[in-house]
Amino acid sequence: MTDNQVNSEVHSGHPTSLQYFKVAMVLVVITAIEVGIFYLEFLGYWIIPILFVLSAGKFALVAMYYMHLKFDNKLFTLMFISGFIVASGVILALMGLFGAF
């Protein structure tokens, strides 16, 4: 076997350089949309949920592709999501405790 065949067998199922580039371009486009939305004054308070949804989408893409959660064992995804939920709960509890709502 050549080195290329060995490398493709070891990393099967993981994204290629082209896929990483495509994901990066999607992230750039979403970021540009977020910046553009920031300047749309007619949205009023709707800007917050719109930016939240776009940011959550970017977060999911980064976690799935750049952290390899999409391609690794589902246990790692479960551990990541569990930690994220606990951290979110702590943040919400602290915000409630200090009257941020």
Side-chain angles (χ1 to χ4, degrees):
M1 276 192 226
T2 65
D3 286 338
N4 288 339
Q5 289 174 334
V6 171
N7 287 337
S8 65
E9 288 176 13
V10 171
H11 295 292
S12 64
H14 285 276
T16 63
S17 297
L18 180 61
Q19 288 173 319
Y20 279 124
F21 181 75
K22 288 178 182 178
V23 171
M25 290 300 101
V26 169
L27 293 171
V28 166
V29 168
I30 293 173
T31 302
I33 291 170
E34 286 175 334
V35 171
I37 285 176
F38 182 75
Y39 291 104
L40 300 177
E41 294 179 11
F42 67 88
L43 290 173
Y45 289 111
W46 281 99
I47 193 170
I48 295 169
I50 292 170
L51 290 177
F52 179 80
V53 168
L54 290 172
S55 295
K58 287 189 340 183
F59 174 79
L61 278 174
V62 169
M64 285 189 310
Y65 284 94
Y66 294 110
M67 294 176 66
H68 302 281
L69 290 179
K70 182 176 181 180
F71 308 101
D72 285 341
N73 191 328
K74 298 302 176 195
L75 176 65
F76 296 131
T77 302
L78 178 66
M79 290 170 49
F80 178 78
I81 291 173
S82 300
F84 184 75
I85 290 171
V86 168
S88 298
V90 168
I91 290 170
L92 290 174
L94 288 172
M95 289 173 69
L97 180 66
F98 290 107
F101 295 111

